[in-house]
Amino acid sequence: MRGRAERHSDAVDIIPNAGDAALVWRGGLRSIAIRCPDGCGEVISVNLDPRTGPAWRLFERDGGMTLYPSVWRESGCRAHFILWRDDLIWCDGFESPRWKDDELKRRVSSILPPEGAPHKHFEELAAQIDGIPWEVLWTCNSLVADGKASASDKGSRFGLAPATPTTRSSIVDRRA
């Protein structure tokens, strides 16, 4: 993050390198200008003002900024990435976040719908606990991997995993 500017053109002037970003703040948060991290040189303008149409959300936590949802260029270099806590994560299936939060795992577990109830979308869960959607998604996936949660077919909705039945060791009667 290189700073703030009142106009998009001024924001572009302060982001010379791939991956640099600047906020456009004119009476309120308007957009974020990002020099494409793929190195193509293009500037990506991401709307942050819901009054002007579909908008991304910007979260500021612990000194870092997170943009939700991901940025996906549908033309040019076709870069697809997540800006998370000032780090860039490529959406190519090869990179995963260097992140773990046991407290968030506990909080998410406590609000997951019980077995048999409709699963909830991770965005809804994040809103319920004022969490960052990416982190709640990663937490839900971790809970699924631990066998404590179940996911929908598309992997965006989650609920508590079915309780595993307690099995008693069976005794075989060898006299029969």
Side-chain angles (χ1 to χ4, degrees):
M1 189 58 61
R2 296 290 179 203
R4 293 182 179 187
E6 280 195 31
R7 294 187 312 259
H8 178 75
S9 59
D10 294 335
V12 170
D13 290 343
I14 61 174
I15 56 170
N17 301 314
D20 286 350
L23 294 174
V24 177
W25 190 282
R26 189 175 49 258
L29 190 55
R30 303 294 181 177
S31 64
I32 185 170
I34 305 168
R35 183 72 62 178
C36 185
D38 200 33
C40 69
E42 295 289 322
V43 173
I44 303 165
S45 182
V46 178
N47 180 34
L48 299 174
D49 186 353
R51 297 173 302 171
T52 63
W56 279 251
R57 290 182 287 164
L58 188 69
F59 298 86
E60 295 184 68
R61 306 273 168 88
D62 301 326
M65 291 193 184
T66 298
L67 192 59
Y68 182 83
S70 63
V71 176
W72 193 343
R73 294 197 61 211
E74 294 180 350
S75 62
C77 68
R78 305 183 79 73
H80 186 196
F81 59 92
I82 293 169
L83 177 62
W84 172 67
R85 294 189 184 247
D86 288 345
D87 281 337
L88 183 99
I89 300 172
W90 288 105
C91 296
D92 57 8
F94 300 113
E95 189 173 349
S96 61
R98 300 168 308 278
W99 174 84
K100 181 182 175 189
D101 185 335
D102 288 331
E103 174 58 22
L104 184 58
K105 215 173 189 180
R106 185 194 61 71
R107 289 175 59 210
V108 169
S109 291
S110 73
I111 62 169
L112 285 174
E115 178 187 358
H119 284 39
K120 285 188 179 177
H121 196 281
F122 69 89
E123 290 174 342
E124 184 180 349
L125 296 168
Q128 194 172 338
I129 60 171
D130 190 32
I132 294 173
W134 295 122
E135 295 175 4
V136 171
L137 172 61
W138 299 328
T139 296
C140 287
N141 286 332
S142 176
L143 289 166
V144 169
D146 293 347
K148 296 178 181 175
S150 61
S152 63
D153 291 340
K154 293 185 179 181
S156 60
R157 296 179 178 276
F158 299 88
L160 287 175
T164 54
T166 312
T167 58
R168 294 178 20 204
S169 60
S170 57
I171 300 172
V172 177
D173 187 351
R174 301 209 185 269
R175 295 174 289 167

